Amino acid sequence: MTETPYFIRLEEARALCSKTPPALSVEHVDLDHAHQRTLAVDLKSLVNDPPFDNSSMDGFACKYDSNATYPLTLSVLGTQAASGDNLPLNVGAGQAARIMTGAPMPEGTDAILPIEMCAVSKDGQFVVLNEAPKPHFVRKKGENLLEGSTALSKGSLLTPARVGLCATMGHATVPVYRRLKMAIISTGDELKLPGESLQHGEIYESNSFGLAGLVRWLGHQPVRYQAVADSMDGLRTALNEASAECDVVLTSGGVSMGEFDYVRRLMETEGDIHFWRMKIRPGSPPLFGTWNGTPIFGLPGNPVSSHVVFRMLVADYIRNALQSDGPREWTVRAKLCDRVKSTMDCVTLRRVELVSTDEGMMAYQPKHQGSGNLDSLASASGLTMLQPGEIGEVGEWIDVVVL
Ligand code: AMP
Ligand code: MG
């Protein structure tokens, strides 16, 4: 039997997880439900965008004449509105048509002068153009998208702008990956639900709520299970249920070296562990493997650690499985303004406040960095990505992941 990989680098952990992807399937959703979903195909435009030459301004349309001098008086032939039900205008020499933004360019015109640069006679029969009309106020047919061209490729995370673009292209529904059901199981005898009263030694269970938010942020469906006590039987029952109902299982707590770390113990004896522990701080205890064939992440119990491991490992795993281009992790260069405690063998992810200045981004570390201090994460805007051996001195320029 080969040894379980132990205390491996983040990249190695990602590579191992990616070998056991969740099962994917595709469904068609209407655009009202497309936000945050990942496209399962290359999406081609059904139309040209715009579908016809049109005006980008309210003003007057006429034919551009390079010999004309300004001010120039033209007779007004009529009004071209944005809807198509008015009479088609045919604008000749010495004539102009009043035009609204988005209205099709009338026959015989190729330039627009915005209304602010025009003076219309009282009776509306004539218009004086105070300067030359401009061809660049005409939005040309197909200048944004050509019919049949691919504007959104497979794996595009449908942001609000992209959902709008699907509509522009004429799609009423889009094929997307079915949302993954992600089970969230907290473990620990000491955990109580917020709202209940605490006995000495008990704390409020927070990880499942934070993790559920992260699952939604990724565009998937969290299924929060009741927290389980530290026992092999309780945990086994919960894992059986969750692995049957969900595509991926996330547990929190119970993966360290302690006697009561039952997630690790149960996975060692009855599950299949692909690796245990990785070189990031906070967040070194996690394990990954399968339970009854379902991928399972054993996340650490400390609230900051479970969040950080989700961002570094689980989010990457899901994006990778769907080949999704979002939600993106933005890394910026920032100058450390406080000393940050680093480690020799791990990537160090301290929570920092980012401030944009003329000199660039500045990173401050205002809160104490215990991995149980959720306040330090809730108030932070970034996580340092100090590589092993990087010192973390004031004045160093480092990579920071934007939260
Ligand atoms: P464990 O990994 O189970 O030893 O947990 C490490 C620390 O995280 C302990 O202080 C736990 O009380 C705390 N913890 C574990 N699970 C949760 C949770 N779901 N919510 C809040 N804190 C937790
Ligand atoms: Mg525990």
Side-chain angles (χ1 to χ4, degrees), residues 81-146:
S83 85
D85 57 6
N86 57 344
L87 288 173
L89 296 171
N90 199 332
V91 177
Q95 293 182 322
R98 182 86 205 262
I99 193 162
M100 308 302 164
T101 304
M105 291 298 287
E107 211 41 52
T109 66
D110 58 9
I112 304 283
L113 194 62
I115 193 77
E116 306 85 86
M117 288 129 190
C118 302
V120 185
S121 66
K122 265 213 172 86
D123 59 6
Q125 301 279 315
F126 296 95
V127 59
V128 179
L129 308 188
N130 288 322
E131 55 183 78
K134 311 281 188 295
H136 65 248
F137 290 134
V138 180
R139 302 191 284 215
K140 303 295 282 179
K141 172 179 173 176
E143 72 177 16
N144 302 333
L145 287 179
L146 290 174

Side-chain angles (χ1 to χ4, degrees), residues 187-188 190 230 253-254 260-261:
T187 69
E190 72 283 24
D230 290 318
F260 295 106
D261 287 326

